[in-house]
Amino acid sequence: EDKVVQSPLSLVVHEGDTVTLNCSYEVTNFRSLLWYKQEKKAPTFLFMLTSSGIEKKSGRLSSILDKKELFSILNITATQTGDSAVYLCAVYTGTASKLTFGTGTRLQVTL
Amino acid sequence: KAGVTQTPRYLIKTRGQQVTLSCSPISGHRSVSWYQQTPGQGLQFLFEYFSETQRNKGNFPGRFSGRQFSNSRSEMNVSTLELGDSALYLCASRRLAGEAETQYFGPGTRLLVL
């Protein structure tokens, strides 16, 4: 059965800190990995990663995939209170019909 | 461009009843997927529809069913509701069905079964 594991489960940091969120996966027929941010409602898309070693960046957020070691990290620099959310990692496998999600990392940024 | 919309946003039902949830994808998107989100199990895939055909189905009982119409709008139905069906039901759409296609989520329907 496909499995996506995120760590840590939750994290509390001070505004301005840098955080690294981890996502590892054990799946058959990997296609791509996606990161989402979920506040109180729908997950919003952050990144899609398909190739190893190529960093994707968007402002203070960046992510990279290692297909040999089967993991991805999401970095957030200079955190702000608005970054407080659950960060979800998900993987497309097989026919890329379904996303298998991890349980998420709950990030709280305090003043 | 308008995002994915879902109706209703909130719903309260009692055990044994049935419910139908609706999802309108982003204009031009032909694939619609449904997910159930609960605190204990996280986000779990229910099924995906593309061009009115079900492409894939998750590990849910037959009480969960869906369909897609020619305009790509989708409905999911849950019959004989159980307390454990209380959850946030999310719909996601993408333009085509492939691994390079990002799924965009709607706001969800929160279902409470009493």
Side-chain angles (χ1 to χ4, degrees):
Chain A
E1 190 182 322
D2 295 336
K3 197 156 72 164
V4 177
V5 178
Q6 291 186 247
S7 64
L9 288 181
S10 67
L11 196 52
V12 181
V13 300
H14 293 297
E15 204 173 41
D17 287 350
T18 293
V19 297
T20 298
L21 310 184
N22 303 292
C23 174
S24 64
Y25 57 91
E26 285 178 40
V27 301
T28 50
N29 207 359
F30 172 90
R31 297 293 191 178
S32 54
L33 184 145
L34 290 82
W35 284 96
Y36 287 87
K37 176 183 180 182
Q38 186 174 27
E39 295 170 270
K40 293 211 186 288
K41 36 193 180 174
T44 54
F45 171 74
L46 295 174
F47 298 110
M48 174 184 274
L49 303 151
T50 52
S51 302
S52 268
I54 298 174
E55 187 183 49
K56 294 241 177 154
K57 266 181 89 75
S58 175
R60 296 175 295 103
L61 278 66
S62 64
S63 184
I64 198 159
L65 173 67
D66 186 328
K67 287 166 76 173
K68 186 177 171 197
E69 300 297 331
L70 310 182
F71 77 91
S72 172
I73 59 172
L74 174 68
N75 274 325
I76 309 175
T77 59
T79 51
Q80 302 171 355
T81 54
D83 296 326
S84 296
V86 174
Y87 290 84
L88 295 163
C89 169
V91 172
Y92 271 137
T93 58
T95 58
S97 180
K98 71 168 187 174
L99 280 172
T100 299
F101 280 85
T103 50
T105 292
R106 182 174 296 277
L107 173 66
Q108 187 180 347
V109 182
T110 61
L111 291 170
Chain B
K1 205 185 240 189
V4 179
T5 57
Q6 291 186 244
T7 56
R9 295 293 311 279
Y10 302 93
L11 206 46
I12 300 175
K13 292 283 188 179
T14 55
R15 275 183 302 174
Q17 287 187 308
Q18 76 160 22
V19 67
T20 299
L21 313 182
S22 180
C23 171
S24 292
I26 292 171
S27 177
H29 285 197
R30 290 166 59 193
S31 162
V32 173
S33 296
W34 289 90
Y35 294 84
Q36 181 195 65
Q37 187 173 32
T38 58
Q41 300 293 322
L43 262 161
Q44 293 186 287
F45 172 78
L46 281 155
F47 26 67
E48 182 192 27
Y49 285 88
F50 181 76
S51 293
E52 300 178 68
T53 302
Q54 188 181 86
R55 282 190 78 226
N56 202 348
K57 191 173 181 341
N59 294 327
F60 280 82
R63 300 185 296 106
F64 292 81
S65 62
R67 58 178 175 166
Q68 187 180 35
F69 302 96
S70 58
N71 62 358
S72 295
R73 191 177 70 84
S74 177
E75 287 181 348
M76 69 162 272
N77 185 276
V78 188
S79 62
T80 320
L81 284 165
E82 300 177 1
L83 296 179
D85 297 333
S86 295
L88 180 66
Y89 289 89
L90 290 162
C91 155
S93 78
R94 53 181 174 164
R95 194 174 53 93
L96 298 172
E99 70 264 22
E101 298 284 337
T102 301
Q103 291 193 15
Y104 295 92
F105 284 83
T109 294
R110 189 164 294 281
L111 172 65
L112 178 61
V113 182
L114 301 175

